[in-house]
Amino acid sequence: MSTKTSELTRERTRSAWIFLAPTLLVLALVAGWPLGRTIFFSFTDASLEAIGDSTYNMVGFQNYFGEYGVFNLNAVEGFWSTDWGMAIRNTFKFSFFSVVTETLLGVIFALVLNANFKGRSFIRAAVLVPWAIPTIVSAKMWAWIMNDQFGVMNALLRSAGIIDHNIAWTADPHFALWSVVLVDVWKTTPFMALLILAALQMLPTDCYEAAHVDGIHPVRVFFKVTVPLIWPALMVAVIFRLLDALRVFDIIYVMTSNSVDTISMSGFVRREIVDNNYVGYGSAASTVLFLIIGACTVLYLKLAKVDMSK
């Protein structure tokens, strides 16, 4: 019986690999090949023109640890004051505050949308509107709303007496990154709320009925029952948003252009490859970005004890 079961398991495993083979092949072509080329060019002094006629040279780890490499720890102004250091700081600051805020607001909105009230279907559809708008459109719309000359935000805040002069929300170094975080929270919170709402609707009702009969306070029921039950889904939702936030580019680029005060790691890579024509140096930064995202993902899965196989 054991031999038959083992043979059946092996046959199922072989069948699974046969069905997965085309997908893995396509994935290797569309993801593995560009990644390999990027890592290769990070060890060269290639420019956009040199790629076509193969006139670039191998420079070893100069793009990583050389005098002008991404890990130039001997920079006069200090590593964290270099453009790459600021890109790392901006990306992590943006990711942390965006994901934490979106998760907290997502839980609140999901609890509200999970309750029974009149017009719930309409509210659920309305909440998804920000998520349905393309990121470029959202960024451009909010850039106009926050415009220091014509934007309605300054007009509303001045009429309410909160500020006494117009503020350049997307140009002032003190407000630019937080303005981007605000727009990202506005756009992506519905995504988190939708994922958490799906988890809430899968919860069993008997434990809530028992807690109601026993007279347990709803806040205690939330932390002792609801949170542990939705925790796996919540952690998966956070990892999806974390990956998106760490590779953020479009919303920052549209709202604040190439400002060093808000530049992200992806924006830095684009600037070096496209604007400055440093393909080798930009590829090194891109490779480091890939490694940072991979390391953050593994660290998060370990700390949160997320089992992605389930």
Side-chain angles (χ1 to χ4, degrees):
M1 183 65 182
S2 177
T3 304
K4 290 182 179 179
T5 302
S6 178
E7 180 62 29
L8 179 61
T9 302
R10 286 195 292 270
E11 181 63 29
R12 287 179 174 175
T13 303
R14 282 194 294 271
S15 300
W17 278 110
I18 291 173
F19 284 113
L20 283 175
T23 303
L24 295 176
L25 179 61
V26 172
L27 189 62
L29 291 175
V30 302
W33 173 250
L35 176 61
R37 291 277 288 177
T38 300
I39 295 174
F40 170 76
F41 282 123
S42 71
F43 294 105
T44 71
D45 60 355
S47 62
L48 291 175
E49 297 81 7
I51 293 177
D53 51 17
S54 301
T55 56
Y56 48 81
N57 301 305
M58 300 299 294
V59 296
F61 286 92
Q62 285 296 312
N63 289 324
Y64 291 94
F65 304 107
E67 182 178 0
Y68 300 103
V70 291
F71 291 117
N72 180 16
L73 302 181
N74 296 320
V76 177
E77 67 273 31
F79 172 75
W80 293 109
S81 295
T82 63
D83 286 2
W84 177 241
M86 292 189 69
I88 295 176
R89 285 195 305 172
N90 290 336
T91 303
F92 275 90
K93 191 184 294 184
F94 170 86
S95 302
F96 176 79
F97 287 102
S98 295
V99 175
V100 170
T101 307
E102 290 159 9
T103 303
L104 294 176
L105 292 178
V107 171
I108 295 172
F109 288 167
L111 290 172
V112 173
L113 294 175
N114 194 45
N116 288 319
F117 60 89
K118 190 176 182 181
R120 184 176 63 171
S121 300
F122 173 78
I123 297 298
R124 284 182 178 180
V127 166
L128 289 176
V129 170
W131 174 248
I133 299 176
T135 302
I136 299 296
V137 177
S138 298
K140 202 64 182 175
M141 178 182 71
W142 276 96
W144 276 106
I145 292 175
M146 296 179 174
N147 187 280
D148 57 332
Q149 298 295 323
F150 315 105
V152 297
M153 177 175 284
N154 278 314
L156 292 175
L157 294 178
R158 290 188 68 174
S159 63
I162 298 177
I163 60 175
D164 56 6
H165 64 280
N166 288 348
I167 297 176
W169 299 101
T170 59
D172 191 318
H174 296 96
F175 299 104
L177 187 61
W178 303 116
S179 299
V180 176
V181 171
L182 172 66
V183 176
D184 189 73
V185 169
W186 172 82
K187 174 175 174 51
T188 316
T189 295
F191 171 75
M192 296 293 285
L194 189 65
L195 294 181
I196 298 168
L197 176 62
L200 287 174
Q201 294 189 329
M202 297 294 291
L203 298 182
T205 58
D206 52 351
C207 53
Y208 291 96
E209 293 171 353
H212 179 71
V213 171
D214 293 340
I216 301 176
H217 196 277
V219 175
R220 189 178 180 188
V221 173
F222 172 74
F223 285 105
K224 294 294 184 181
V225 178
T226 304
V227 172
L229 290 177
I230 67 171
W231 188 257
L234 188 62
M235 291 298 99
V236 172
V238 170
I239 189 63
F240 281 136
R241 273 302 303 140
L242 182 62
L243 292 176
D244 269 343
L246 287 173
R247 63 189 182 209
V248 63
F249 166 74
D250 43 9
I251 191 170
I252 292 180
Y253 184 77
V254 172
M255 293 189 67
T256 64
S257 190
N258 276 333
S259 172
V260 175
D261 297 314
T262 58
I263 192 170
S264 66
M265 289 190 285
S266 297
F268 180 89
V269 171
R270 180 220 167 262
R271 189 189 71 180
E272 296 304 319
I273 293 179
V274 178
D275 294 347
N276 297 336
N277 200 17
Y278 297 148
V279 174
Y281 181 62
S283 297
S286 181
T287 303
V288 174
L289 169 60
F290 168 74
L291 295 175
I292 289 176
I293 291 178
C296 289
T297 304
V298 173
L299 181 63
Y300 171 82
L301 293 177
K302 290 291 184 183
L303 293 178
K305 298 180 180 178
V306 179
D307 187 357
M308 297 297 288
S309 63
K310 292 182 179 178

